[in-house]
Amino acid sequence: MELNVVSAEQTTGIEDHFPNRLEPAQNDYFAPYWRKFRRDEFWRSIPSWHDISERVFLDAMWQEQNAVINRERLERLVGPLVDPSFLDDATEGMKRAPMAMRISPYIISLINWAGPISDPLRRQFLPLGSEIEEDHPLLGLDTLGEQSDSPVAGLTHRYRTKALFLPTSTCPVYCRFCTRSYAVGTDTEEVAKVRLGAGRERWKNAFDYVAEHPELEDIVVSGGDAFRLKPDQLKTIGDALLDLPNVRRIRFATKGLAVQPMKIITDRGWLNALTAVSERGRYLRKEVCLHTHFNHPNEITGITEDAAGLLFERGITVRNQAVLLRGVNDGDDCLVDLGRRLSTLNIHPYYTYLCDLVTGTEDLRTTIARGISLEKIVRGTTAGFNTPTFVVDTLGGGGKRDVHSFEYYDPDFGLAVYAAPSVKPGKFFISGDPLRDLRQDVRDVWQNPATRTELIDNVLKNICHHC
C-alpha cells in the first residue's frame, strides 16, 4: 500500500461553515458583536417555563432539580416544539450512547428547538440515533490510558511534575464526547462505569501519593466536575494540596461556568470556598486557577458575563479548554468568535483539543488536517495570550501534542504518529481521522484487523528507520 506524507501547507481544506451566532456580526468598530451578550429571558421560550421568573431561573438549586435526565422530562419540556420523530430519534441515540443524559435548564433553553438537528448545543449533549456513525476501530472508553497511569484510584500521574486528581465522577451536565466515559455519570445500556465516588479515604490516598512524590508541583482537580463538590469539600481538597510544600499550582476544572453559570452568582458558599482557597494560595505564593470548557459562542450570555465578572473581581484566573467538534465549532469563524467573546470576559482561551477517540463520538470527530487549518485561521485574530494551542491528546498515554508536531501524517490514510520524548521517551503514539473522511478502500484497510495492523506497523517501522 502506498503512503503519502504531506506537508502542513497541504492540509488547509475548507469544510462547511457553521456560524450559528445568536447575533449577526456588525461592522461598527466601536460596538463589535463579540462584546454584546444576550440578556433576554430566553428560558421563557420553553412552554413549561414561560412563567419562570429570573430569580427562580438563576437559582442554582432550581437548575439542579430541573435538569433533563430522561425522555419523559425532555418530552414534557420540548414536546410541543418538535416533531415526535425527533424524540424517537433522541431515544434511540441515548440507547447507544456511552454517557447518560443530563442537560441543565440553562442549556435546554439556549437550544434552537425550531431547528434542533443542526443546533450546535444540542449536538454536544443529546445524541440522535440517525447521527451516530460506526466507531473507528481505534475508539474506546479509556483510549488515553488514564487508568493504566493511575497509581492510586482517581489519580493519574503521567507527566513528571503534574497529576490529575478525580475527586468525583459526576457533573452538572454529561457531554456526549466525554474523555472519561469509562467513569463519569451513571451506567448506561452500553457502559458499566468505574466507580470514583467522593470518598475522603480515597482522597487521602491521593494526597499521600502526592506528598510522597516531591516532583509533583501541578495538580489538576477535575472529575467529574469541581462544580459537584460541596463548598466544604472544595476547601478541604484545596487546603490539603496547598499544605503540601511541593504543590505550587492547583487547577480546579469545571464545565459549570459554560452550562450552569448562575451557580457562581447565587451559590455564594461555593464561590466563597473557591475564593478562600485562591486567596490562601496567593498568600503562600501558589497559583490557584479555574479551568472551564466553552465550545460555542451560543453558550455565552449575560448570565455568563455576570458570573465571569464575579470571578475576575475575586482575582481568580479563568482559562478555557475547548474541544473541536464537527457540526458544532468547526466552521471558519466559530472559534474566532468564541475566543473573542471569552477574551472580553477575561477568560483566556488555553487549549483547543481535537475530539478524543472515545466510543460513540465518531460523528463529532474532525480530521487533524481540519485542526491545522483552523489553528491558522484563529491565530492573529486576537492577542497571542488569548490564542489557544490546538492539541491532540494521544492514544495510549502519550499526552497532549501540538496538532502540527506529528512525526508522520498521511491524510489519505487518516493516520498520524506523534512522539512524546518528555513523557514516554522512545515510544510513538498514533491518532486516526474519522472513517467518513477516507476513501472506501482505505476504510476497508482500517476495518480489517490484519491490514490495519500492517498499515500501522509499516508506518512505525519507517519512522524508527529514520530515527
Side-chain angles (χ1 to χ4, degrees):
M1 58 188 70
E2 184 178 357
L3 303 172
N4 300 306
V5 183
V6 301
S7 66
E9 285 72 20
Q10 294 173 278
T11 62
T12 56
I14 302 298
E15 295 183 2
D16 291 340
H17 185 186
F18 294 89
N20 281 304
R21 290 195 182 120
L22 289 169
E23 298 175 299
Q26 299 180 20
N27 293 322
D28 183 354
Y29 175 82
F30 296 101
Y33 68 86
W34 60 82
R35 295 185 198 162
K36 296 183 178 181
F37 304 99
R38 64 182 298 178
R39 287 189 173 274
D40 59 308
E41 296 182 330
F42 51 85
W43 60 90
R44 294 184 187 268
S45 65
I46 305 296
S48 297
W49 295 338
H50 180 73
D51 296 325
I52 295 296
S53 68
E54 181 180 51
R55 181 187 62 80
V56 171
F57 188 76
L58 293 183
D59 183 80
M61 186 56 67
W62 186 89
Q63 289 280 325
E64 289 285 348
Q65 294 171 344
N66 288 276
V68 175
I69 58 174
N70 52 42
R71 171 179 171 144
E72 289 71 30
R73 189 168 290 185
L74 180 68
E75 185 170 6
R76 188 160 65 247
L77 291 175
V78 305
L81 305 176
V82 299
D83 189 280
S85 62
F86 174 84
L87 294 170
D88 293 337
D89 202 359
T91 300
E92 181 60 27
M94 290 309 303
K95 287 180 180 178
R96 300 168 60 185
M99 296 298 293
M101 181 195 295
R102 185 175 182 87
I103 312 175
S104 67
Y106 177 78
I107 291 296
I108 285 288
S109 302
L110 290 173
I111 292 172
N112 175 20
W113 293 107
I117 302 297
S118 61
D119 187 87
L121 275 61
R122 192 282 307 164
R123 278 183 60 80
Q124 295 183 62
F125 305 107
L126 182 62
L128 300 181
S130 59
E131 288 179 334
I132 294 178
E133 300 177 8
E134 179 184 4
D135 279 347
H136 191 292
L138 294 179
L139 268 61
L141 289 176
D142 184 20
T143 52
L144 302 186
E146 288 188 346
Q147 294 178 92
S148 60
D149 284 334
S150 183
V152 297
L155 186 89
T156 297
H157 186 186
R158 172 173 299 149
Y159 304 94
R160 177 170 173 78
T161 62
K162 184 181 79 172
L164 170 69
F165 175 42
L166 309 176
T168 180
S169 60
T170 61
C171 302
V173 300
Y174 293 135
C175 307
R176 292 181 52 204
F177 49 91
C178 181
T179 296
R180 298 187 188 99
S181 295
Y182 66 88
V184 171
T186 57
D187 292 347
T188 69
E189 293 188 27
E190 296 291 322
V191 182
K193 308 286 181 168
V194 174
R195 300 301 177 194
L196 293 174
R200 294 191 181 240
E201 184 60 33
R202 181 173 69 80
W203 297 356
K204 183 179 182 302
N205 293 336
F207 300 149
D208 289 345
Y209 179 88
V210 174
E212 293 163 1
H213 289 76
E215 73 275 17
L216 283 172
E217 299 179 343
D218 193 320
I219 308 298
V220 179
V221 181
S222 185
D225 194 298
F227 249 36
R228 281 303 206 194
L229 297 172
K230 297 176 182 177
D232 66 305
Q233 294 176 325
L234 190 150
K235 195 165 185 308
T236 294
I237 291 170
D239 284 341
L241 293 173
L242 288 174
D243 286 342
L244 301 178
N246 52 308
V247 173
R248 308 300 306 168
R249 293 168 295 279
I250 303 172
R251 290 177 262 170
F252 288 99
T254 176
K255 192 172 175 65
L257 189 57
V259 299
Q260 197 182 45
M262 56 282 298
K263 183 178 178 72
I264 298 295
I265 300 170
T266 61
D267 187 350
R268 288 305 175 95
W270 195 92
L271 177 60
N272 289 340
L274 179 64
T275 303
V277 175
S278 177
E279 289 178 345
R280 183 172 180 236
R282 278 197 298 277
Y283 176 78
L284 296 172
R285 299 183 181 180
K286 299 184 178 187
E287 183 182 56
V288 178
C289 297
L290 189 71
H291 279 205
T292 192
H293 179 184
F294 290 87
N295 287 327
H296 195 277
N298 287 10
E299 296 163 3
I300 304 174
T301 68
I303 303 171
T304 321
E305 184 179 24
D306 293 343
L310 280 173
L311 291 167
F312 189 74
E313 289 172 11
R314 301 283 184 108
I316 298 170
T317 297
V318 184
R319 304 188 186 105
N320 188 66
Q321 300 183 145
V323 177
L324 180 59
L325 300 168
R326 175 175 170 262
V328 174
N329 56 15
D330 63 333
D332 285 355
D333 292 344
C334 190
L335 291 174
V336 173
D337 189 351
L338 178 64
R340 286 171 171 167
R341 288 181 181 269
L342 291 173
S343 300
T344 297
L345 301 180
N346 297 304
I347 298 172
H348 301 286
Y350 174 39
Y351 278 140
T352 297
Y353 291 86
L354 268 68
C355 185
D356 291 332
L357 279 74
V358 178
T359 298
T361 65
E362 187 74 352
D363 65 293
L364 290 172
R365 296 202 306 120
T366 61
T367 64
I368 287 170
R370 186 57 180 153
I372 292 171
S373 68
L374 284 171
E375 192 277 341
K376 292 180 179 180
I377 290 170
V378 169
R379 188 161 297 281
T381 60
T382 188
F385 57 82
N386 277 333
T387 301
T389 301
F390 283 64
V391 295
V392 175
D393 213 342
T394 54
L395 294 175
K400 302 172 188 66
R401 301 287 100 188
D402 188 301
V403 67
H404 299 88
S405 67
F406 47 77
E407 306 298 312
Y408 169 99
Y409 177 44
D410 186 340
D412 289 334
F413 278 83
L415 176 62
V417 181
Y418 293 86
S422 62
V423 182
K424 294 184 178 178
K427 294 186 177 182
F428 293 101
F429 302 88
I430 65 174
S431 188
D433 287 341
L435 293 175
R436 95 181 75 80
D437 295 300
L438 307 177
R439 301 190 314 267
Q440 184 58 54
D441 62 315
V442 177
R443 295 184 203 176
D444 294 340
V445 169
W446 277 106
Q447 290 166 334
N448 182 310
T451 55
R452 177 169 72 244
T453 300
E454 180 186 2
L455 168 65
I456 295 171
D457 286 350
N458 286 343
V459 168
L460 294 179
K461 287 177 182 177
N462 186 57
I463 293 174
C464 291
H465 178 71
H466 290 90
C467 289

